Amino acid sequence: MTPSAVVDVHTHFVPKGWPDLGPGQPWLRVESEREAMIMVGSAEFRRIASNCWDAEARLSDMDADGVAAQVVSPTPVFFGYGRPPGEAAKVARIFNDLALEICAPAPGRLLPFCQVPLQDPDAACDELDRAVAAGHLGVEIGNHVGDRDLDDAGVVTFLQHADSLGIPVFVHPWDMPASPRTDRWMAQWLTGMPAETHLSIIAMILGGVFDKVPETLRICFAHGGGSFAFWLGRLDNAWHRRPDVIATSQQPPSAYVSRFSVDSVVFRPEALRVLVDTLGATQVMVGSDYPYPLGERPVGEVVDRSSFLTPDQRTAIRTNNARRFLGISEIVTTTMTK
């Protein structure tokens, strides 16, 4: 492992096409060899480029940024949590198998994470078993299923199963509430996503999930954990001052910060310092949100610009924490043969 190598725990893929999922469901309008548009029914959702599906393009960008390996996770629009469980399970199988094809040219560098039909705990556990047996290293889940948050009994059952397999879980916000106030300026992404993640970490704590699942559960929240670290003091204060309402966890909220990780895609050293000071350097890993426009390039730049980090902290955030999260001892650094 060279000093410049980075393990990126937060990237996404989109296959270059998939079988018809039915009316009103996501499909891909391919516009050229390098460009396509994700469609949801007749609506344009997001323009993407070939680095969503082309391993060579991804590896070229990784080499340019000094990224040794990246977790390749689903794009949340494909989760299908609002569909009947059988349909969502079919979609998960399709996208999980396509993810393995995308990652196949660079084993050890492109690390596939699967999706599951989280609305049905039994089906979710079955698909996790199948995907892991096929080669997936972990699973990405959305931060809620409709009005059910991560403290829902079915979700807790799934998290317990993931822990029993030793499989890491990456939580990504999705399906943010829409309103006239958030339908402009990308406000759903700029305010809704951080708020969704903050809310779901609170649900894990106050909903007693961390009291129910083993400490061995490896779980990471995207986008620096939203606004959670900044407002942990407010949460602790409320836990002590209004125990009649929110003292529903066995310990104060700050006692649980060692139970989960967050990624580093917060863009400014001042924000990264809040994460490190509040959660600890052992709980932060490089994440970029590659290849989407709101992600960080070069990958890990905010870590490199954070002069307050000690050499050991920087190494932990860039590499070692991710290796522990992923349960891997070595990172492959060779580039793909062209």
Side-chain angles (χ1 to χ4, degrees), residues 137-156:
L137 267 67
V139 59
E140 179 188 69
I141 64 173
N143 71 302
H144 66 102
V145 180
D147 291 331
R148 298 154 54 195
D149 216 311
L150 299 186
D151 59 332
D152 176 79
V155 178
V156 174

mmCIF file of all heavy atoms in Angstrom, residues 137-156:
data_model
loop_
_atom_site.group_PDB
_atom_site.id
_atom_site.type_symbol
_atom_site.label_atom_id
_atom_site.label_comp_id
_atom_site.label_asym_id
_atom_site.label_seq_id
_atom_site.Cartn_x
_atom_site.Cartn_y
_atom_site.Cartn_z
ATOM 1 N N LEU A 137 -19.397 -7.906 -1.514
ATOM 2 C CA LEU A 137 -18.690 -7.735 -0.242
ATOM 3 C C LEU A 137 -19.543 -7.092 0.831
ATOM 4 O O LEU A 137 -19.198 -7.145 2.012
ATOM 5 C CB LEU A 137 -17.424 -6.891 -0.447
ATOM 6 C CG LEU A 137 -16.132 -7.654 -0.720
ATOM 7 C CD1 LEU A 137 -16.204 -8.345 -2.073
ATOM 8 C CD2 LEU A 137 -14.939 -6.719 -0.667
ATOM 9 N N GLY A 138 -20.628 -6.435 0.463
ATOM 10 C CA GLY A 138 -21.447 -5.725 1.435
ATOM 11 C C GLY A 138 -22.774 -5.377 0.820
ATOM 12 O O GLY A 138 -23.127 -5.825 -0.283
ATOM 13 N N VAL A 139 -23.536 -4.545 1.535
ATOM 14 C CA VAL A 139 -24.874 -4.179 1.088
ATOM 15 C C VAL A 139 -25.107 -2.694 1.340
ATOM 16 O O VAL A 139 -24.687 -2.144 2.361
ATOM 17 C CB VAL A 139 -25.939 -5.028 1.817
ATOM 18 C CG1 VAL A 139 -25.874 -4.855 3.331
ATOM 19 C CG2 VAL A 139 -27.343 -4.710 1.313
ATOM 20 N N GLU A 140 -25.754 -2.041 0.385
ATOM 21 C CA GLU A 140 -26.227 -0.670 0.572
ATOM 22 C C GLU A 140 -27.734 -0.713 0.779
ATOM 23 O O GLU A 140 -28.453 -1.392 0.045
ATOM 24 C CB GLU A 140 -25.912 0.186 -0.648
ATOM 25 C CG GLU A 140 -26.412 1.629 -0.503
ATOM 26 C CD GLU A 140 -26.265 2.435 -1.780
ATOM 27 O OE1 GLU A 140 -26.986 2.141 -2.762
ATOM 28 O OE2 GLU A 140 -25.436 3.350 -1.789
ATOM 29 N N ILE A 141 -28.200 0.003 1.800
ATOM 30 C CA ILE A 141 -29.635 0.119 2.040
ATOM 31 C C ILE A 141 -30.026 1.584 2.071
ATOM 32 O O ILE A 141 -29.202 2.460 2.366
ATOM 33 C CB ILE A 141 -30.069 -0.572 3.357
ATOM 34 C CG1 ILE A 141 -29.431 0.115 4.570
ATOM 35 C CG2 ILE A 141 -29.741 -2.059 3.322
ATOM 36 C CD1 ILE A 141 -29.957 -0.399 5.919
ATOM 37 N N GLY A 142 -31.299 1.859 1.774
ATOM 38 C CA GLY A 142 -31.823 3.193 1.959
ATOM 39 C C GLY A 142 -32.058 3.462 3.429
ATOM 40 O O GLY A 142 -32.146 2.542 4.248
ATOM 41 N N ASN A 143 -32.196 4.731 3.785
ATOM 42 C CA ASN A 143 -32.301 5.084 5.202
ATOM 43 C C ASN A 143 -33.713 4.932 5.757
ATOM 44 O O ASN A 143 -33.924 5.103 6.955
ATOM 45 C CB ASN A 143 -31.806 6.515 5.434
ATOM 46 C CG ASN A 143 -32.776 7.549 4.873
ATOM 47 O OD1 ASN A 143 -33.095 7.542 3.678
ATOM 48 N ND2 ASN A 143 -33.271 8.427 5.726
ATOM 49 N N HIS A 144 -34.664 4.573 4.916
ATOM 50 C CA HIS A 144 -36.027 4.334 5.404
ATOM 51 C C HIS A 144 -36.783 3.547 4.347
ATOM 52 O O HIS A 144 -36.387 3.488 3.171
ATOM 53 C CB HIS A 144 -36.758 5.648 5.720
ATOM 54 C CG HIS A 144 -37.025 6.493 4.506
ATOM 55 N ND1 HIS A 144 -38.258 6.562 3.896
ATOM 56 C CD2 HIS A 144 -36.207 7.290 3.778
ATOM 57 C CE1 HIS A 144 -38.198 7.375 2.861
ATOM 58 N NE2 HIS A 144 -36.956 7.831 2.760
ATOM 59 N N VAL A 145 -37.873 2.934 4.764
ATOM 60 C CA VAL A 145 -38.787 2.242 3.853
ATOM 61 C C VAL A 145 -40.158 2.866 4.061
ATOM 62 O O VAL A 145 -40.867 2.528 5.017
ATOM 63 C CB VAL A 145 -38.832 0.726 4.133
ATOM 64 C CG1 VAL A 145 -39.796 0.041 3.171
ATOM 65 C CG2 VAL A 145 -37.440 0.112 4.027
ATOM 66 N N GLY A 146 -40.513 3.822 3.239
ATOM 67 C CA GLY A 146 -41.739 4.572 3.469
ATOM 68 C C GLY A 146 -41.638 5.310 4.788
ATOM 69 O O GLY A 146 -40.683 6.055 5.035
ATOM 70 N N ASP A 147 -42.598 5.088 5.677
ATOM 71 C CA ASP A 147 -42.586 5.723 6.989
ATOM 72 C C ASP A 147 -41.856 4.889 8.033
ATOM 73 O O ASP A 147 -41.819 5.270 9.214
ATOM 74 C CB ASP A 147 -44.021 5.981 7.466
ATOM 75 C CG ASP A 147 -44.713 7.061 6.646
ATOM 76 O OD1 ASP A 147 -44.006 7.953 6.141
ATOM 77 O OD2 ASP A 147 -45.953 6.997 6.514
ATOM 78 N N ARG A 148 -41.276 3.777 7.638
ATOM 79 C CA ARG A 148 -40.535 2.921 8.563
ATOM 80 C C ARG A 148 -39.067 3.305 8.539
ATOM 81 O O ARG A 148 -38.415 3.255 7.502
ATOM 82 C CB ARG A 148 -40.710 1.453 8.179
ATOM 83 C CG ARG A 148 -42.154 0.958 8.256
ATOM 84 C CD ARG A 148 -42.414 -0.197 7.318
ATOM 85 N NE ARG A 148 -41.460 -1.290 7.518
ATOM 86 C CZ ARG A 148 -41.288 -2.287 6.644
ATOM 87 N NH1 ARG A 148 -41.969 -2.307 5.505
ATOM 88 N NH2 ARG A 148 -40.441 -3.241 6.899
ATOM 89 N N ASP A 149 -38.528 3.684 9.694
ATOM 90 C CA ASP A 149 -37.119 4.077 9.761
ATOM 91 C C ASP A 149 -36.271 2.866 10.146
ATOM 92 O O ASP A 149 -36.759 1.728 10.192
ATOM 93 C CB ASP A 149 -36.935 5.229 10.756
ATOM 94 C CG ASP A 149 -35.876 6.220 10.290
ATOM 95 O OD1 ASP A 149 -34.778 5.779 9.905
ATOM 96 O OD2 ASP A 149 -36.142 7.437 10.315
ATOM 97 N N LEU A 150 -35.001 3.093 10.436
ATOM 98 C CA LEU A 150 -34.079 1.986 10.670
ATOM 99 C C LEU A 150 -34.313 1.272 11.990
ATOM 100 O O LEU A 150 -33.693 0.236 12.235
ATOM 101 C CB LEU A 150 -32.632 2.487 10.592
ATOM 102 C CG LEU A 150 -32.206 3.082 9.248
ATOM 103 C CD1 LEU A 150 -30.711 3.403 9.262
ATOM 104 C CD2 LEU A 150 -32.536 2.157 8.083
ATOM 105 N N ASP A 151 -35.201 1.795 12.836
ATOM 106 C CA ASP A 151 -35.550 1.079 14.060
ATOM 107 C C ASP A 151 -36.770 0.181 13.865
ATOM 108 O O ASP A 151 -37.229 -0.456 14.818
ATOM 109 C CB ASP A 151 -35.803 2.052 15.212
ATOM 110 C CG ASP A 151 -36.928 3.041 14.926
ATOM 111 O OD1 ASP A 151 -37.161 3.353 13.740
ATOM 112 O OD2 ASP A 151 -37.564 3.500 15.888
ATOM 113 N N ASP A 152 -37.282 0.093 12.644
ATOM 114 C CA ASP A 152 -38.368 -0.831 12.353
ATOM 115 C C ASP A 152 -37.918 -2.263 12.632
ATOM 116 O O ASP A 152 -36.774 -2.643 12.346
ATOM 117 C CB ASP A 152 -38.774 -0.686 10.892
ATOM 118 C CG ASP A 152 -39.833 -1.682 10.477
ATOM 119 O OD1 ASP A 152 -41.002 -1.451 10.792
ATOM 120 O OD2 ASP A 152 -39.467 -2.704 9.858
ATOM 121 N N ALA A 153 -38.811 -3.075 13.189
ATOM 122 C CA ALA A 153 -38.440 -4.434 13.596
ATOM 123 C C ALA A 153 -37.891 -5.251 12.430
ATOM 124 O O ALA A 153 -36.923 -6.021 12.594
ATOM 125 C CB ALA A 153 -39.647 -5.139 14.207
ATOM 126 N N GLY A 154 -38.483 -5.087 11.232
ATOM 127 C CA GLY A 154 -37.993 -5.837 10.080
ATOM 128 C C GLY A 154 -36.601 -5.415 9.660
ATOM 129 O O GLY A 154 -35.767 -6.258 9.299
ATOM 130 N N VAL A 155 -36.336 -4.118 9.701
ATOM 131 C CA VAL A 155 -34.999 -3.630 9.360
ATOM 132 C C VAL A 155 -33.983 -4.118 10.388
ATOM 133 O O VAL A 155 -32.865 -4.518 10.041
ATOM 134 C CB VAL A 155 -34.983 -2.098 9.259
ATOM 135 C CG1 VAL A 155 -33.579 -1.593 8.963
ATOM 136 C CG2 VAL A 155 -35.943 -1.630 8.163
ATOM 137 N N VAL A 156 -34.354 -4.102 11.665
ATOM 138 C CA VAL A 156 -33.452 -4.598 12.706
ATOM 139 C C VAL A 156 -33.127 -6.076 12.467
ATOM 140 O O VAL A 156 -31.970 -6.502 12.603
ATOM 141 C CB VAL A 156 -34.063 -4.390 14.104
ATOM 142 C CG1 VAL A 156 -33.191 -5.044 15.177
ATOM 143 C CG2 VAL A 156 -34.210 -2.897 14.399
#
